[in-house]
Amino acid sequence: DGGLHWIRPLREMCGRIRSVVGVVRRGLEPKLKMEGESLGHALLKIDPDEGDFLRQPERTGDLVATFSCNMASSAVMAHSACPYFRVTGSEGEIVIHGTGLKKNVAGAGGLRLYNHEYPKGKEMFDKDRVGAFFLGFGGLWKEIYDIVLKKDRKRAHETVTRAAEDVRTVLALYRSSKSGMWEDV
């Protein structure tokens, strides 16, 4: 898949999402009996000027990311063959990929580097890692535990505020799907 929970890491790497153009579709996979969308594709204009984010060369236009989420069982899913993220730059490419949702089986996804030294790619993690998709949530649960244990209302509020930005991005995608135009977040 690749829904709302993939917007946050995209924003963490690239910056605030300024506007969105895209489409969403419901009912493409009736056997899933989903209330929501089974397909969404978007282009996201990013504002990287507010922090230490990935940058593109000067005078090359807006930083634009592609976003895709797909629940169709007949399509290649993000946790099998398609990468979660692909970051392409002037010095090479980083591919963050998954190999499945089986958390007790070796092959827990990884990070592949392509550059002048590794034109065919180099895996940066051991292939025998166990944990799959779920490895990414360890830090999240530690953070939640710490917030609750310390009753840290400020950090809890920051977490909710950041989540609201993700939801605003999806709402802009819904508006764009209806209007066919770029919509502000």
Side-chain angles (χ1 to χ4, degrees), residues 14-32:
C14 298
R16 186 180 69 81
I17 298 171
R18 222 175 39 229
S19 57
V20 178
V21 64
V23 296
V24 294
R25 296 292 182 260
R26 292 176 178 242
L28 295 179
E29 193 69 43
K31 66 183 174 189
L32 292 177

Side-chain angles (χ1 to χ4, degrees), residues 119-154:
K120 294 185 179 184
K122 176 182 173 154
E123 279 301 326
M124 305 307 288
F125 295 144
D126 295 332
K127 290 184 184 279
D128 62 351
R129 290 177 45 204
V130 175
F133 174 80
F134 301 97
L135 286 172
F137 295 105
L140 171 68
W141 288 114
K142 287 178 186 173
E143 183 80 9
I144 291 171
Y145 176 79
D146 191 54
I147 288 170
V148 171
L149 188 66
K150 294 178 180 175
K151 298 181 181 176
D152 189 338
R153 293 177 188 268
K154 181 180 178 192

